[in-house]
Amino acid sequence: MPLEALRYELTPVGLHYLLIHFDIPLVDAEMYELCVGGHVRRPLRLTLEDIRSRPSTTVAVTLECAGNGRARMSPRPLSQPWLAEAVGNAEWTGTPLRAVLEEAGVRAGAVDVVFTGLDRGVQGGVDQYYERSLSVAEASRGEVLLAYEVNGGPLPPQHGFPLRLIVPGWYGMSHVKWLRSITVAGSPFQGYQQATAYHYRTSDQEAGAPVERILPRALMVPPGVPDFMSRRRFVDPGRHVIEGRAWSGRAPITGVELSDDGGASWSPGNLEDAGPPFAWRRWTCQWDASRPGEHELCVRATDAAGNTQPLEQAWNLEGVQNNAVQRVLVVVGKADAVQAPADSR
Ligand SMILES: Nc1nc2c(c(=O)[nH]1)N[C@H]1C(S)=C(S)[C@@H](COP(=O)(O)O)O[C@H]1N2
Ligand SMILES: [Mo]
């Protein structure tokens, strides 16, 4: 998502980030069926019509890839080289998963609920359908949705047509797209995307900690205008309002601060009224750009659980959960008065 799209409360669908491990499957809506089975009393087969005729809810949810910020780590972990753009906030419409699980009747001894996509590929030498699981307790949270619409329109192919999972508060990998089946399991799910990938660890000798809920982050709309090559920004001297969004999947955002000296000093920003609990929150901050020359603008969010953003993030093998503060290099002064580096034509 281009960061100027932080201006929209709801990210227009074409500006929302995408992460697709394998290929986007082609799905015939007429033939589609979702199978709910495994450790249940009454296995279900639901057509799209069955799903659409169930009670529906619409919820705004900020989705962020666990690898957002990966390309800022050194050495750069191999995978999608995100800077800070792997985020979006959309309104998802669907039916609560909980009632579907209740109808199927989860049997005693159930441990995990496994969500399998229609997309297949090879990762880590393993031929697999994309699959992730949630504990029965997490899957039974009222906010977890089987979604078939985004921002009031049908789910487009790239976002999981015809049906995807939405797990408010969790990093993107758990929001399984192109859902083929939901299988209740009596033992912990050991699939590649669950047991091997998406762990915070510094070597492949460690098991590491599973990646789950989104850490706090604030991002600003980069002010002024960019230099094509270096991406440095130019702003006119004077007072500016810096704006952006902040979110956390762990607790409500309680504060946002801005720095114009690379994080040496901070001033508080203003949080707008809180909206839906899993949606990002707009913030603004006055910036007095009276001093000509280069400035490094930084922004940092804190949530009610006391989580905040570090100035530097420790390295990890998969490059996940890098919520180090955003840094935007800004030059105060006339853009064409600054000598362009030789490589910037
Ligand atoms: N079936 C399936 N679901 C998936 C993926 C995938 O590759 N296949 N990618 C996951 C990851 S890593 C992320 S970050 C989100 C991205 O969702 P979006 O592309 O709708 O933004 O989808 C998740 N769901
Ligand atoms: Mo992701």
Side-chain angles (χ1 to χ4, degrees), residues 7-208:
R7 294 188 181 111
Y8 305 97
E9 173 68 38
L10 290 182
T11 311
V13 168
L15 292 178
H16 195 286
Y17 87 99
L18 291 172
L19 195 299
I20 295 153
H21 284 238
F22 308 128
D23 293 339
I24 298 172
L26 179 67
V27 184
D28 180 346
E30 297 292 306
M31 303 293 288
Y32 178 79
E33 264 190 346
L34 173 73
C35 300
V36 184
H39 221 66
V40 297
R41 282 189 294 275
R42 292 172 294 274
L44 308 171
R45 298 181 84 88
L46 303 172
T47 65
L48 257 193
E49 219 172 276
D50 295 336
I51 293 163
R52 286 176 159 278
S53 63
R54 300 180 69 90
S56 84
T57 50
T58 297
V59 55
V61 175
T62 296
L63 220 69
E64 183 178 22
C65 181
N68 205 13
R70 177 181 289 128
R72 298 280 185 214
M73 293 193 146
S74 178
R76 184 188 289 188
L78 281 180
S79 195
Q80 195 77 15
W82 299 117
L83 294 169
E85 69 280 18
V87 65
N89 184 65
E91 256 178 4
W92 304 92
T93 299
T95 197
L97 172 66
R98 178 155 71 188
V100 173
L101 292 176
E102 278 168 6
E103 199 174 310
V106 173
R107 279 163 43 199
V111 176
D112 281 340
V113 183
V114 182
F115 303 89
T116 307
L118 288 157
D119 51 327
R120 183 186 144 201
V122 183
Q123 197 181 341
V126 181
D127 188 332
Q128 59 190 282
Y129 284 95
Y130 186 91
E131 310 185 272
R132 287 275 310 178
S133 65
L134 293 172
S135 68
V136 172
E138 198 66 38
S140 305
R141 275 167 61 214
E143 306 93 18
V144 178
L145 284 191
L146 299 174
Y148 44 78
E149 280 180 16
V150 59
N151 290 354
L155 211 56
Q158 66 273 24
H159 283 299
F161 178 86
L163 194 68
R164 80 174 303 171
L165 190 65
I166 290 292
V167 189
W170 283 53
Y171 278 112
M173 73 284 153
S174 56
H175 304 236
V176 178
K177 303 193 268 191
W178 312 294
L179 268 181
R180 146 208 301 273
S181 61
I182 300 176
T183 311
V184 178
S187 55
F189 175 61
Q190 296 298 330
Y192 181 86
Q193 304 295 341
Q194 191 72 29
T196 305
Y198 296 109
H199 280 69
Y200 185 98
R201 62 186 156 216
T202 51
S203 91
D204 54 13
Q205 307 304 306
E206 273 171 66

